[in-house]
Amino acid sequence: MTAFATTTELAAGWRPLANAEDLQQALDCFREARPMFAALGDRDSEANAIQNAGAVHGPLGDQAGARAAFEQALIIFQATKNRQTEGTSYQSIGSIHAARLGGPGAHGVHR
């Protein structure tokens, strides 16, 4: 796995390595970390915690939760002008739409 792996790819990699309990613990940690980063004023880390939580929602079967998290992270990444991670959020949101719509119909959802 490269350093540029998306959180969606990472979440897919977690499936064989973690059970639902492990994934729930990871989700709890990301949720706990978010307000800590916010209190420190570290918006990028806050958004990364949200993005990572979204990546865990998917393997837990919560696509709506994953999308909501990715969209929350996207707003922060846009505000901080972090284009690389903004792109990752768009990719993650697009992956959810692609899975729901069967692929080609997802193109352009966020244009």
Side-chain angles (χ1 to χ4, degrees):
M1 192 174 312
T2 69
F4 297 104
T6 66
T7 55
T8 302
E9 291 167 331
L10 290 172
W14 292 345
R15 288 182 188 166
L17 301 174
N19 59 36
E21 184 178 321
D22 293 336
L23 291 170
Q24 187 60 52
Q25 287 178 342
L27 183 59
D28 293 343
C29 287
F30 292 132
R31 286 178 175 160
E32 185 178 329
R34 179 188 180 182
M36 292 179 195
F37 289 126
L40 292 170
D42 187 345
R43 302 279 327 247
D44 278 327
S45 293
E46 177 187 3
N48 278 320
I50 298 167
Q51 181 82 6
N52 289 333
V56 175
H57 277 289
L60 287 172
D62 182 8
Q63 297 305 311
R67 180 180 175 184
F70 295 144
E71 289 175 346
Q72 288 175 3
L74 176 62
I75 291 167
I76 296 172
F77 290 138
Q78 288 172 330
T80 63
K81 302 193 184 320
N82 188 330
R83 299 298 180 230
Q84 182 177 358
T85 49
E86 179 182 343
T88 299
S89 293
Y90 276 120
Q91 181 181 6
S92 298
I93 293 165
S95 294
I96 290 171
H97 283 287
R100 184 177 55 98
L101 299 174
H107 183 71
V109 169
H110 277 280
R111 288 183 185 243

